[in-house]
Amino acid sequence: MCSRYSLIARPEAVYRLFGITDGHDFPPRYNIAPSQPVLIVRHDALHIRECALVQWGLVPAWVKDPREYKPLLNARSETITEKPSFRGPVRHRRCLVPASGYYEWVGGRRSKQPHFIRMTQHALFAIAGIWEVWLGADGSEIETMAILTTAANSDVSPIHDRMPVIIRPPDYDRWLDCRSGSTVEISELLRCAPDGCMSVAAVNPRLNDPRAEGPDLHEPANPTLF
């Protein structure tokens, strides 16, 4: 499960990587948590890449009242085409989630130790996501997203058995292009990152507070890299 991540790259670096000419300005965020507005990259109606701010925690279109529904943070890639909440979005509304890294925890409730997981060769990468729009009878609209996960590679498995699906730049277009309404062409992308491409480091336990923010959250709590 991925329940927290960071995006500390400058906006121009994000736009350059994703080939976007104009987008939102945003500050570095070291502790992005569920229910917060998050940046995604998707195709607009003309199939051109755009940035959008949506809420993290997918609310299916068929939900009657979002206030009475627990949003879905993650979607298991192995069963995503079988689940009613995810079948439509994975066929028609795929997105990329820019990230600098994400977090996992080890230890008991009172001694949870956060770990920062990142790509060793890339300061910025893309997590596979899906998005959805909920329309209320009063005309209200809520856009939400969920992160796709898969079995962890050998870099991450010592602390967690799952990890986000990471999409490589050469595959961005294939992931975002939903015109076929099929998942056949993207099925091979739903895999873990290759072994040896990620590092895992214990970081500041202050990150346990979802309200905490700032660069000190990446200070090492333990010099050991897994």
Side-chain angles (χ1 to χ4, degrees), residues 46-72:
L46 299 176
H47 308 291
I48 297 171
R49 292 183 196 176
E50 67 172 3
C51 283
L53 290 174
V54 303
Q55 181 178 302
W56 184 10
L58 189 136
V59 177
W62 43 261
V63 168
K64 292 185 178 179
D65 187 348
R67 294 170 299 182
E68 299 177 358
Y69 185 83
K70 185 177 180 180
L72 306 168

Side-chain angles (χ1 to χ4, degrees), residues 79-221:
T79 58
I80 194 168
T81 59
E82 304 169 13
K83 303 294 183 180
S85 300
F86 305 135
R87 277 197 305 249
V90 77
R91 291 170 56 201
H92 304 292
R93 290 175 292 280
R94 296 190 292 269
C95 64
L96 298 168
V97 183
S100 300
Y102 73 99
Y103 304 99
E104 290 293 357
W105 280 257
V106 297
R109 176 175 297 182
R110 295 185 179 181
S111 59
K112 281 191 172 182
Q113 174 60 60
H115 289 72
F116 182 53
I117 304 169
R118 62 180 182 86
M119 303 286 288
T120 55
Q121 300 296 321
H122 305 283
L124 177 63
F125 59 94
I127 295 172
I130 52 176
W131 66 278
E132 183 60 281
V133 58
W134 181 89
L135 299 174
D138 60 354
S140 58
E141 181 176 311
I142 305 173
E143 290 189 329
T144 59
M145 75 88 176
I147 284 173
L148 273 65
T149 67
T150 187
N153 65 12
S154 64
D155 303 326
V156 177
S157 59
I159 66 166
H160 204 279
D161 62 351
R162 305 290 295 177
M163 68 181 295
V165 173
I166 296 173
I167 305 295
R168 302 178 309 124
D171 297 319
Y172 288 174
D173 283 336
R174 182 159 39 138
W175 179 257
L176 292 175
D177 190 349
C178 299
R179 284 175 288 186
S180 72
S182 170
T183 59
V184 173
E185 64 272 18
I186 55 94
S187 59
E188 67 174 285
L189 303 180
L190 301 177
R191 59 180 184 270
C192 66
D195 295 339
C197 72
M198 311 194 78
S199 68
V200 183
V203 291
N204 193 335
R206 197 167 75 84
L207 196 118
N208 292 336
D209 182 353
R211 299 166 297 180
E213 188 51 85
D216 66 300
L217 297 180
H218 284 180
E219 292 179 352

